[in-house]
């Protein structure tokens, strides 16, 4: 999938990490970098739809947006690139015992556009300090919760995320948003 919207900003590199020998690409190859990518995920407040996020690099450049759908039968979020083009839709699966989410290309909900992610696990405390995301035994990303005035006073989530080299950072953002939703539900926040 080629980048859309012309020349979109590439996120600034993070500190040095060992690159995976085989890239992990879920959403698009254009969202991988040969260096670690640090991103800030900030929940927007005072919007009609819940759980809208702005995702910026360490220099404050907008990289992605997540928009929630206001009137939806099930929870639905859309990950957009900086130009506002839909990359993937994150949708809560209905009629399941455990809260499950599905990720589709663009704004589709067709089974032919359902994306499959690599086998991953999350270790660490989600709401305390942070967590580490693994694909098999390899670390592919780390997330830490940021505490600032907006997150404390307005109860607006804020995360720092580092996607490791050759890991699809759009996929990591989508995964963190889904994990935020799952954890909000388990804490009775949603």
């Amino acid at each position: 999938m080629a980048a859309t919207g012309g020349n979109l900003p590439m996120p600034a590199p993070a500190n040095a990490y060992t690159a995976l020998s085989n890239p992990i690409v879920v959403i698009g190859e254009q969202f991988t970098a040969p260096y670690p990518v640090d991103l800030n995920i900030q929940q927007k407040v005072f919007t009609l739809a819940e759980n809208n996020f702005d995702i910026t690099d360490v220099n404050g450049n907008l990289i992605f947006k997540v928009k929630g759908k206001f009137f939806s039968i099930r929870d639905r979020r859309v990950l957009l690139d900086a130009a506002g083009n839909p990359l993937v839709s994150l949708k809560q699966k209905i009629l399941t015992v455990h809260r499950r989410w599905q990720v589709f290309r663009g704004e589709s909900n067709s089974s032919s556009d359902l994306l499959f992610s690599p086998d991953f696990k999350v270790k660490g405390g989600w709401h305390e300090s942070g967590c580490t995301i693994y694909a098999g035994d390899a670390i592919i990303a780390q997330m830490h919760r940021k505490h600032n005035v907006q997150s404390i006073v307005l109860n607006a989530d804020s995360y720092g995320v580092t996607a490791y080299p050759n890991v699809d950072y759009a996929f990591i953002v989508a995964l963190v948003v889904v994990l935020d939703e799952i954890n909000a539900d388990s804490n009775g926040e949603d």
Side-chain angles (χ1 to χ4, degrees):
M1 175 194 279
T4 54
N7 291 332
L8 300 176
M10 280 296 289
N15 299 324
Y17 294 85
T18 304
L20 295 173
S21 55
N22 295 320
I24 295 177
V25 179
V26 177
I27 295 176
E29 205 171 320
Q30 72 272 28
F31 302 115
T32 61
Y35 50 83
V37 175
D38 281 340
L39 298 170
N40 298 307
I41 301 175
Q42 179 67 52
Q43 184 175 14
K44 293 176 74 174
V45 293
F46 306 120
T47 61
L48 288 177
E50 64 178 29
N51 294 338
N52 287 340
F53 294 89
D54 281 342
I55 296 87
T56 58
D57 69 6
V58 294
N59 295 323
N61 298 314
L62 182 67
I63 305 298
F64 302 112
K65 296 181 241 179
V66 174
K67 300 274 186 186
K69 296 295 182 181
F70 185 55
F71 292 109
S72 178
I73 294 173
R74 56 186 174 178
D75 282 342
R76 181 172 178 225
R77 311 280 177 268
V78 178
L79 176 65
L80 308 164
D81 66 15
N85 300 303
L87 300 173
V88 294
S89 296
L90 307 107
K91 297 175 185 170
Q92 180 186 357
K93 213 174 164 182
I94 53 176
L95 302 175
T96 60
V97 176
H98 300 288
R99 187 149 188 205
R100 305 242 187 246
W101 285 75
Q102 296 176 311
V103 179
F104 298 87
R105 283 217 183 276
E107 292 193 81
S108 175
N109 60 3
S110 169
S111 60
S112 65
D113 289 323
L114 181 64
L115 295 177
F116 295 95
S117 62
D119 182 26
F120 67 90
K121 59 188 168 205
V122 178
K123 290 185 178 180
W126 180 260
H127 285 290
E128 290 79 34
S129 58
C131 64
T132 303
I133 303 169
Y134 294 84
D137 292 329
I139 297 174
I140 60 171
Q142 293 183 316
M143 185 279 303
H144 64 276
R145 193 172 176 88
K146 291 184 169 189
H147 299 285
N148 55 34
V149 173
Q150 185 175 0
S151 68
I152 294 168
V153 174
L154 301 175
N155 194 28
D157 293 323
S158 181
Y159 306 104
V161 176
T162 300
Y164 276 41
N166 297 328
V167 175
D168 183 334
Y169 53 88
F171 163 67
I172 297 300
V173 168
L175 182 60
V176 169
V177 170
V178 167
L179 291 171
D180 178 73
E181 284 293 322
I182 291 169
N183 282 283
D185 277 355
S186 68
N187 290 328
E189 296 173 18
D190 197 20

